Structure formats: structure tokens, C-alpha cells
Amino acid sequence: MQTQIPQIHADRDHPQINRDRLNAQQYEAVTTVDGAVLVVAGAGSGKTRTLVYRVAHLLHSGVPPERILLLTFTRKASQEMLWRAGQLLNDSCSRVVGGTFHGIANMLLRRYSASLGFGSSFTIIDRADAEGIINLLKSSLGFSGKEKQFPSKRVLINMISGAVNKSRDLEDLILEQYGHLSEHLDDILVLRKHYGEFKFDHGLMDYDDLLVNWKRLLEEDPQARRDISSRFSYIMVDEYQDTNLIQADIVRLLALGHNNVMVVGDDSQSIYSFRGADFYNIMRFPKLFENTQIVKLEENYRSTQPILSLTNDIIRNSAEKYTKTLFSRIEGEFVPELYSARDEREEARFVAATIRKLRGEGVQLENIAVLFRSGFHSYKLEVELGTHGFDFEKRGGLKLTEAAHMKDVLSFMRILVNPKDTLSWNRILLQLDKVGPKTAQKITATIAATDDPVAALGSYKAAPAWKKGFEKLTVLCRRLLEEDRPTAIFELVMQYYTPLFQQIYRDDYPKREKDLDQLKGIMASYDDLQSFIDDTTIDPPETESEDAHYSDRLILSTIHSAKGLEWQVVFVIGLADGRFPHAAALAGDQWEEERRLFYVAATRARERLYLCYPREMMSTDRRFKRVGMSPFLRELQPGLYRHAADGHAADGYRSTDEPSLRAGKKDVAFSIPKSRTPKRSLDDFSLGSKVSHPFFGVGIVKKLTKPRTLDIHFDRHGLKSLHLDYAKLTIL
């Protein structure tokens, strides 16, 4: 059956959607609605604006809102886009179906899961719940105990989830990435099998199951696929470079019958392979969908041109990419600055001193960010900022619903929507005084085996030591069944839970009460309990800081956490050889992703960009070692940055410890006679850097051997060992 698609009649004179409000490339992306479209959206190029206008354009052209599907990576992103589209058009945008992959999967599986053998009342479990099940199974299968060096629950979930998200066989993943644990391979495979059976038997799905089962539904149920494909005749996907293989397959299956799918993303910002994101999804999209129209958004509305000139040069050497050149109409007066510090302490002092100087110029702390490769790279900086009295926020932390006391309360809600949720029953029972894990598991197993667990709980014979508390619980459960309003359910739970809460968390329960107040406010916006439970699991809210009202704070963040954000001033620290890129990324896909990570960091800056690295770092054996600048810094062309010293720009400044031939135009501390070439030293090279040889061609440095020997792998001639006194090498 051929899917019937509404006819689009583009109105180029529509007052809200015309060329005056969009640049030429954005307009092309907005108005190209039939067939497959790939929008390669450079950093800061207005991709969100493009998606917003495209939704409005489709609706204005006669597409019913229910026929449009907008897939994003956060629920907040889709809500904001649809709200903005509504501002352009009307409230029909509120009927557009928008959400995360996991949220839409949940919605569809509630309707169609019977064809996969699931009931519609399944419960979604988060990471902590999944680890709890793994721990339970480890014990029951005899894989626990001090004498057994079996992997931890965290590592086991990483393995199982990693295999799903990367579409890899679990056995291959373990042998490749966890070779030291390969002796446990057979037991891990058994554990994975029992984990799947446990979830199915108890009506549970983890995050990965939502995607896996959505894909299964589309592949195994032709009628469901036809229904869903015809329902969503226009599909849009944001941040397509962050999709994994399962998500890319889902998009392909959803579009069967019409191929009206537009994906928006930036290959240069694909940095989440550790989560399973596949860089090649965006590269292979035109091959997956015939006659794909590619639109490139290259005008940047965020950064000054000097910053963009440098970021363009960072990505210039990528092995595989959609070639694009970002440009800006914002001229800017500040050239990016490079600071070469003696060590990490001096690097921290430079950052703190420069921030103090910026504050004196009127820049607010909230408009400044310091970015780094990994969380521990900021420790010395945190100490230094403390001595200067700077208030800062380090990004990353628990989601609101991941805290133990929040999970306690949510357990009561979860047994109401899924009475066979043994994980929640077990948590509730363990709150009772004198009830231990064995007793809780025994009660849980008994009531879960019945058709009505709540009724079975009331008839369970309690021991005298915990009978009083158990009877209060059974009374609560009966009363909860009589209520259907989320706020009323919350009040009943809190009447019962508060005394237990104050006892269990007696050291800090007043602080935790603030979280429970937040939860009450969140529940007040829901009409049904199932929607509330689904949302708090799939897209949990962030914990609010006690100082949330005070916004003037410096931001410290890993680059991964900073993606999608922007600041007036950005420092990128730790740009040293062996740290950025990290030492394990010697070549190939990891090396390229590290380059993209540097690109993402630099493109967060609007007006000023500082690139910093220490020349000396402490190694894992607690010895100080000399290091060079990151190979990615060495690749930068002359004139794109200038050196900084003592907390301020200093034209012509050069660290006496490390001369560089790649200085900015004004940075000329010394000159080289034209008649002779400077003698290279081993310090000029770094592992993974690209070089060129007049005979062997282009190669990558694999090993440095003192005093003057390098092992280089050449594309055409393999591995060669060369001596610097004789090899005429050019650093690329």
C-alpha cells in the first residue's frame, strides 16, 4: 500500500517564512520538504532556527500537525522548538509529535508492544535500577564473593549496554575492550541472558530496550510499520551525528514508503562514540537515501571571524568530512591567544589572573567558561580559583530522580502502574525496620507470584519484630489504589514515608527535603501517574543547586558537557601532547574524534578564546615529565593566534623553553636565516603527529626513541625507523 502524502504548496510570500528572516541556505533547507534532505549545520549556524521555521512552513503548507515527527536528544529541545514554531504560526504546533528517541519509543510501544509479547504496563528502569538487578543476579547465580574477581555491576552494565548501542556482539566487545576480564566471558554471557529474562518476566525495560524493541516492532510487524510510517509522513531529526546504529535504522524504517526525512547535524561535532554514537551515520546518509539533497549552513551567528578562522583550521585536517568553511559578519577585535605554561600550576595561575583582568573590564563570571578534556584536569585550577575567591560551578552531577530518597518515593508510584515491579517492592520493604534483604526478597517473590500483589501483601504473615511497620505499609497500599490523582498519591506516600525518611537519612534529611518539594511541584503538572513515571525515568530533571538563584558563577566543564552551549570568553586548558588527544588515541577514528572534540571546545567562544597547555606534567608514576603542545595546536597555520604571557596578550612573547615555528604574524621573537634550515630535535615531534618524507610520503609518528630516532608508519611503505640527522621530515 502506497502511503498518501499531503501535497505541499509552498507560499514564498508568507509573512512569517520568507527570505528576509532566513539566509539563503536556511531558506533552502526550510522549503525543501519532499524527499531526503541532509542539513550539514556548522557550529552556531542557526540549525534550531531552521528546524523551527521548517515546522511552521510544513503546517502553513497544509500538513496536519499530527503527521509531523520531530526527534531530538532532549525533551526540552523539542518543546522549545515547537513553542518557537507556535510563536511564528499558531497553537497547531502543539499537536506536532516531538520528543526524544526514547520518549517516542515509549509512546509507540505502549500501543504496539503486545505484538512483541509485552504488556502495555511495562516499567522503564534507569541505570541504577539496572545495576541493582545485575547485582541481584550475580548473587543468585553464584558469581559474587571476594574469592571471585568478577566484574562490578557498573562494568557489567557498561558491557551489556555498550554492545547494544554499538551494535556489537557482546563477546567481541569484551575480547576487544575488556580483555583482562575474558576469563569470565562465559559467565557474563549467562548473566546477560538472565538479565534479559528477568526484565521480560517482571515487565521491565531499560533505556536500551526501548530502542531495540522499537526497531524490532518496525522490522517484525509490517502492519505496525505501515501504520507508523503513514502516520508520520514528515520526519525531522536533530543532532543526527549523535545517533547510534539502532537509531539510524529506526529513522530508515520510519521513512519507508515516503522518504520524507530531514536530518540536521554537524559531522565536525560528532564526539560521543563512547555512548555508541556512530560518526558514519551522517556520512553515509546520502547513500542510505537516494537523491538526498545536501544543504550546508556555513554562516555563523555566534563567534567573531578570528575565532572561526582558527576553528576552520582545526577541522581542516580531518580525514573524512563534509567540507565547509564557517564565516561570520562579526569582525571582532580579539585574536585567539595561546599560553604555554611551565606546569599545570602556572597554567591555573594564568587562567585565574586573566579572569581577574576580564572582570576588571566588566565581563561577568557567568559569561566565562573553562573547558577541559576530562574532569580531573581541572583540580589544580579549582584550588587556584578558590584562593582568588572566584565562585564557580563544575558541570555534571546527579539527576534529581537518581538520588536515593527520590527513588524511595518513586518506588511507591511505580508499583501502582506495574504491580509486578519486584525491584520497587524490594526497595519499599527494605525501608521497614528489622527487614533485611533476605526477608524482603522472600516477601517480594511470594506476592509477585500472585495475580494481585497488593492483596497478597495484606495476607502475608509478618514476623512480630516488623509486624507493626508492615501493617502500616499494607494500609498505605490499599489507600493508594483508591486514588488516581498524582498529587493525592504523593501526599499519601509522604504521610507514610516521612518518619522513615527522617530516620534513614537522619544526618542530612533537611537538605534532602528540598528535592522532595521539587518532586511535588513536578507531579502537580501531570494528570496521570503513568506519564509522570515515564517522563521522570526517560528524561529526568536536573537537581537544582542551593545557589541556583545566584547566577554570576564561572563555569568549569568537560567539553562533552559543554556541547551546544556558548560563552563570551572560553579557556581550553590541558592542550598538551598525551593529554589532548588522550594517550590512547594514537590514530584512526579515536584520533579524529579527539580533533572534533577540540573543534567543539573552540567553537563555544563568542568573543575571546584562550588555548593553554603546560610544558611539564606529572606522570602516573608521580614523576614530572616534559611534554609538548598538542599535535592539534602544531597543525594550526601561522597568523591564526598570538601568544599570551603573564595574564595578558604580549605580541612577540615566546616561552624560552619551547620555541615554535608556528607563531602568529606579530609573534616574531627570532628569525631564521634563509640560507639554513633549523635542526629538528625529538621534542619537535609527538606521538600521532603527521609528517611528510620526500620519498616515503605521508606518515604518522608511532614511537620516539632518544636521542634522535623515530618510528613512523607511512601510508604506502609501512613502518620505518628514521634518524633525524638524515631524514628530511616535514611536520604537517
Side-chain angles (χ1 to χ4, degrees):
M1 182 181 70
Q2 182 66 32
T3 303
Q4 295 299 311
I5 306 298
Q7 294 298 308
I8 298 294
H9 302 290
D11 183 355
R12 293 180 177 268
D13 297 322
H14 183 260
Q16 302 295 347
I17 308 166
N18 56 40
R19 292 184 183 276
D20 295 336
R21 297 172 181 267
L22 301 165
N23 66 39
Q25 290 71 36
Q26 290 173 333
Y27 187 81
E28 182 182 4
V30 166
T31 56
T32 304
V33 294
D34 294 319
V37 183
L38 168 61
V39 179
V40 181
S45 62
K47 72 174 181 64
T48 300
R49 182 180 182 84
T50 301
L51 283 166
V52 167
Y53 272 77
R54 192 171 198 266
V55 170
H57 175 71
L58 287 170
L59 294 173
H60 177 70
S61 302
V63 178
E66 298 81 6
R67 305 290 293 275
I68 302 172
L69 175 63
L70 174 62
L71 288 167
T72 60
F73 274 82
T74 66
R75 185 174 54 172
K76 182 180 178 181
S78 64
Q79 289 175 336
E80 180 185 345
M81 289 181 198
L82 296 179
W83 179 84
R84 286 174 57 180
Q87 297 297 105
L88 286 175
L89 207 60
N90 53 52
D91 62 2
S92 65
C93 295
S94 64
R95 302 202 304 277
V96 171
V97 181
T100 65
F101 276 89
H102 294 87
I104 301 301
N106 173 59
M107 177 190 76
L108 293 172
L109 289 172
R110 294 287 175 196
R111 177 174 178 180
Y112 294 102
S113 60
S115 68
L116 301 177
F118 282 90
S120 61
S121 62
F122 60 83
T123 296
I124 304 165
I125 59 174
D126 62 16
R127 171 68 181 243
D129 295 330
E131 290 182 358
I133 296 172
I134 289 292
N135 232 19
L136 184 67
L137 294 173
K138 275 177 62 178
S139 178
S140 64
L141 293 169
F143 297 156
S144 299
K146 292 183 179 179
E147 72 284 356
K148 297 179 181 290
Q149 299 300 314
F150 203 68
S152 68
K153 60 184 180 181
R154 179 183 62 82
V155 171
L156 288 165
I157 283 295
N158 284 345
M159 292 175 177
I160 295 169
S161 180
V164 173
N165 283 286
K166 296 179 181 180
S167 297
R168 298 280 306 280
D169 287 335
L170 179 57
E171 183 174 357
D172 291 342
L173 184 77
I174 292 171
L175 294 175
E176 181 179 312
Q177 297 184 20
Y178 302 90
H180 60 296
L181 300 174
S182 57
E183 62 180 297
H184 302 293
L185 177 59
D186 291 341
D187 289 341
I188 295 171
L189 295 176
V190 169
L191 183 67
R192 193 264 303 267
K193 177 175 177 290
H194 280 267
Y195 175 59
E197 291 172 349
F198 183 97
K199 289 184 293 180
F200 186 82
D201 292 342
H202 295 87
L204 307 174
M205 286 193 200
D206 61 25
Y207 294 141
D208 298 332
D209 293 327
L210 290 171
L211 298 183
V212 170
N213 288 325
W214 186 8
K215 180 185 173 184
R216 280 185 57 207
L217 177 68
L218 295 172
E219 287 180 328
E220 299 174 13
D221 189 336
Q223 185 57 52
R225 183 178 65 244
R226 285 191 292 270
D227 289 349
I228 296 169
S229 179
S230 61
R231 174 181 176 182
F232 300 124
S233 52
Y234 289 91
I235 301 166
M236 285 174 281
V237 186
D238 189 22
E239 303 285 11
Y240 191 71
Q241 79 280 348
D242 294 335
T243 55
N244 61 26
L245 284 171
I246 297 175
Q247 290 165 324
D249 284 341
I250 288 170
V251 172
R252 174 180 56 82
L253 291 165
L254 283 173
L256 286 178
H258 56 72
N259 278 0
N260 289 335
V261 55
M262 183 179 89
V263 300
V264 181
D266 184 3
D267 53 297
S268 299
Q269 297 188 69
S270 179
I271 60 173
Y272 293 115
S273 65
F274 65 94
R275 295 181 187 169
D278 191 328
F279 166 77
Y280 292 100
N281 280 348
I282 194 167
M283 303 307 296
R284 67 169 69 96
F285 184 84
K287 298 178 182 177
L288 200 62
F289 291 90
E290 290 185 6
N291 302 316
T292 294
Q293 182 155 339
I294 300 176
V295 182
K296 296 179 183 179
L297 305 184
E298 297 176 292
E299 182 170 359
N300 178 286
Y301 297 94
R302 172 191 301 159
S303 307
T304 64
Q305 189 57 51
I307 290 174
L308 294 181
S309 295
L310 184 138
T311 58
N312 285 334
D313 205 53
I314 291 172
I315 213 67
R316 171 178 55 89
N317 291 303
S318 287
E320 192 169 359
K321 62 183 180 294
Y322 288 105
T323 301
K324 56 186 176 298
T325 302
L326 297 185
F327 67 93
S328 175
R329 301 176 194 272
I330 310 169
E331 294 183 4
E333 55 181 305
F334 302 105
V335 174
E337 298 179 23
L338 174 67
Y339 183 68
S340 169
R342 182 177 64 252
D343 53 26
E344 291 180 86
R345 181 171 295 178
E346 185 177 89
E347 180 184 49
R349 287 173 179 167
F350 166 76
V351 172
T354 307
I355 291 172
R356 186 173 62 244
K357 179 173 176 287
L358 291 167
R359 289 276 285 167
E361 296 173 1
V363 180
Q364 297 297 309
L365 279 180
E366 65 188 52
N367 292 324
I368 305 172
V370 183
L371 308 182
F372 31 84
R373 174 66 183 77
S374 300
F376 67 91
H377 293 170
S378 68
Y379 290 164
K380 284 187 172 58
L381 176 61
E382 291 172 43
V383 173
E384 186 67 26
L385 293 172
T387 64
H388 285 262
F390 288 133
D391 192 15
F392 63 86
E393 173 188 344
K394 191 168 182 179
R395 288 289 166 87
L398 281 177
K399 299 286 189 181
L400 182 67
T401 51
E402 289 175 351
H405 55 295
M406 302 294 277
K407 293 179 78 67
D408 286 347
V409 173
L410 290 172
S411 294
F412 294 95
M413 322 291 180
R414 287 168 55 164
I415 62 169
L416 291 177
V417 297
N418 180 9
K420 293 188 179 294
D421 183 351
T422 55
L423 205 63
S424 294
W425 276 117
N426 196 60
R427 189 177 192 97
I428 290 168
L429 291 165
L430 285 173
Q431 296 167 10
L432 298 175
D433 190 27
K434 308 296 184 183
V435 172
K438 288 186 178 179
T439 301
Q441 288 181 29
K442 184 179 178 182
I443 299 171
T444 298
T446 301
I447 65 175
T450 66
D451 293 332
D452 189 346
V454 174
L457 186 75
S459 59
Y460 191 90
K461 188 174 181 180
W466 43 272
K467 184 176 182 180
K468 185 175 180 181
F470 186 76
E471 287 177 343
K472 289 182 179 178
L473 174 61
T474 57
V475 170
L476 169 69
C477 290
R478 284 196 293 267
R479 292 184 65 189
L480 288 175
L481 289 176
E482 297 170 359
E483 281 290 352
D484 59 2
R485 292 175 297 118
T487 50
I489 291 170
F490 178 83
E491 294 296 344
L492 286 173
V493 169
M494 290 309 300
Q495 289 173 19
Y496 165 84
Y497 177 67
T498 297
L500 299 175
F501 165 68
Q502 294 175 349
Q503 177 61 30
I504 296 169
Y505 306 103
R506 55 182 176 272
D507 292 337
D508 64 349
Y509 77 83
K511 182 179 179 181
R512 293 173 182 258
E513 281 178 337
K514 297 178 182 178
D515 294 338
L516 295 172
D517 289 340
Q518 278 188 254
L519 185 65
K520 180 180 179 180
I522 293 169
M523 289 191 72
S525 63
Y526 285 84
D527 295 324
D528 68 287
L529 197 59
Q530 182 73 70
S531 297
F532 165 74
I533 292 296
D534 289 346
D535 286 350
T536 53
T537 308
I538 295 172
D539 194 12
E542 299 281 354
T543 303
E544 286 188 11
S545 166
E546 291 183 17
D547 301 320
H549 64 281
Y550 178 57
S551 60
D552 191 25
R553 289 180 295 177
L554 173 71
I555 299 299
L556 307 185
S557 176
T558 62
I559 300 169
H560 287 101
S561 297
K563 184 173 175 291
L565 304 175
E566 60 184 69
W567 292 271
Q568 182 180 347
V569 181
V570 169
F571 295 82
V572 187
I573 63 173
L575 287 165
D577 190 13
R579 172 165 285 186
F580 203 142
H582 66 82
L586 292 180
D589 291 345
Q590 278 191 310
W591 181 273
E592 291 302 315
E593 180 156 325
E594 291 289 298
R595 187 197 311 279
R596 296 193 294 269
L597 193 63
F598 180 29
Y599 174 83
V600 167
T603 53
R604 301 308 94 198
R606 294 199 301 265
E607 295 180 13
R608 301 194 193 187
L609 175 63
Y610 296 89
L611 308 174
C612 313
Y613 72 97
R615 301 189 302 276
E616 186 178 79
M617 292 191 306
M618 184 177 287
S619 60
T620 53
D621 59 0
R622 301 193 63 77
R623 294 185 179 183
F624 286 99
K625 65 174 183 178
R626 300 281 294 173
V627 294
M629 65 171 66
S630 165
F632 300 143
L633 287 177
R634 290 184 182 276
E635 291 177 349
L636 294 175
Q637 297 184 61
L640 296 178
Y641 64 87
R642 62 183 179 182
H643 286 259
D646 303 324
H648 62 275
D651 293 342
Y653 168 75
R654 168 80 65 222
S655 162
T656 55
D657 290 353
E658 184 172 357
S660 169
L661 299 179
R662 296 192 177 278
K665 289 180 179 177
K666 297 183 180 180
D667 188 323
V668 234
F670 61 90
S671 60
I672 301 170
K674 294 181 180 179
S675 60
R676 53 180 298 195
T677 303
K679 205 171 186 178
R680 292 282 190 190
S681 73
L682 210 59
D683 290 339
D684 291 329
F685 299 84
S686 58
L687 290 178
S689 60
K690 282 187 177 181
V691 297
S692 177
H693 185 274
F695 176 76
F696 297 124
V698 175
I700 294 177
V701 177
K702 293 294 186 181
K703 184 179 179 182
L704 304 172
T705 305
K706 291 184 178 180
R708 299 179 59 74
T709 303
L710 304 90
D711 286 357
I712 304 173
H713 185 274
F714 293 95
D715 296 344
R716 299 192 300 270
H717 298 274
L719 191 66
K720 301 293 179 183
S721 185
L722 303 177
H723 196 283
L724 278 178
D725 287 346
Y726 309 105
K728 295 180 180 179
L729 295 173
T730 302
I731 298 175
L732 299 180

